[in-house]
Amino acid sequence: MSKTSGITDKPDPWRVPVNVSQIPETGLHRDIEADQRARKAMAELAGAREIASAHASFDVTPKSRGRFHVTGRVQARIGQTCVVTLDPIENDIDEEIDLIFAPPDEITGLADLVDEAIAGDIGIPDPPEPILGGVIDFGRVATEALFLGIDPYPRRPDAVFEPPPEATDPEAHPFAALKALQLDPKPPAASKPKRR
């Protein structure tokens, strides 16, 4: 995963806030696991049948000017429905996390570096994520990574889509009923006005 994006306007289903002022200079390692309530809320947001398990590990390294490098991975088991057979299936997710977090006032300057990279046609770094209220929310980061890993069109490995058989009767196609509505190619004869 290279960048997060907003999940929704709803409250975050999985919250594990970490105050950046409490992160030691040597860095921080943290393992987290979503409880049943958080998994249920995440499944509803993702449109999944269920999230059977979800856990993540993070390593945070302080950088200059109040920035933090966050790496790790999120792993989950997702219950979905096959789009071909409609059978219940389960998929495993394993997404890497590699983000830079920065104070909001630092992000403008770092965004200029992204613009320079685009102008110079060199590798474009991802813009940093904002540190809001002095906190990095590991639960939100893990949730966004998990959502990015969900297959929007899950299917069983052996599922094969078979189109419906073609009708043998040429009059049995969907537009056959329209044939009856066709106008007679000869216009009706105009009636002569009656004389009194």
Side-chain angles (χ1 to χ4, degrees), residues 20-194:
V20 296
S21 67
Q22 296 176 355
I23 297 174
E25 291 182 8
T26 54
L28 174 73
H29 176 83
R30 180 71 63 88
D31 294 314
I32 63 173
E33 185 164 353
D35 62 18
Q36 184 177 2
R37 181 199 58 76
R39 294 195 313 270
K40 182 178 178 183
M42 285 189 290
E44 288 175 6
L45 280 177
R49 198 178 75 251
E50 70 168 340
I51 296 180
S53 66
H55 57 274
S57 61
F58 294 93
D59 288 298
V60 184
T61 307
K63 298 293 182 184
S64 61
R65 296 192 308 246
R67 294 175 294 163
F68 293 86
H69 187 197
V70 177
T71 59
R73 68 187 326 110
V74 61
Q75 296 174 310
R77 189 158 186 81
I78 309 296
Q80 295 181 275
T81 302
C82 174
V83 295
V84 177
T85 65
L86 302 182
D87 292 332
I89 58 174
E90 291 190 343
N91 288 318
D92 291 320
I93 290 178
D94 188 352
E95 288 287 312
E96 289 189 12
I97 296 166
D98 189 353
L99 299 168
I100 296 291
F101 281 82
D105 56 340
E106 283 285 321
I107 290 180
T108 305
L110 292 170
D112 292 341
L113 295 176
V114 173
D115 292 340
E116 289 172 16
I118 293 170
D121 197 25
I122 59 175
I124 301 170
D126 289 323
E129 298 293 321
I131 298 170
L132 301 175
V135 164
I136 296 174
D137 191 335
F138 286 173
R140 181 177 180 86
V141 173
T143 301
E144 292 184 348
L146 188 157
F147 283 9
L148 287 173
I150 293 177
D151 183 352
Y153 304 106
R155 56 191 297 169
R156 282 180 18 191
D158 59 343
V160 178
F161 175 74
E162 294 183 14
E166 292 186 25
T168 54
D169 180 2
E171 298 296 320
H173 58 80
F175 299 107
L178 294 177
K179 187 173 184 180
L181 299 176
Q182 287 181 338
L183 296 174
D184 188 343
K186 298 177 189 174
S191 60
K192 294 181 181 178
K194 294 181 181 178

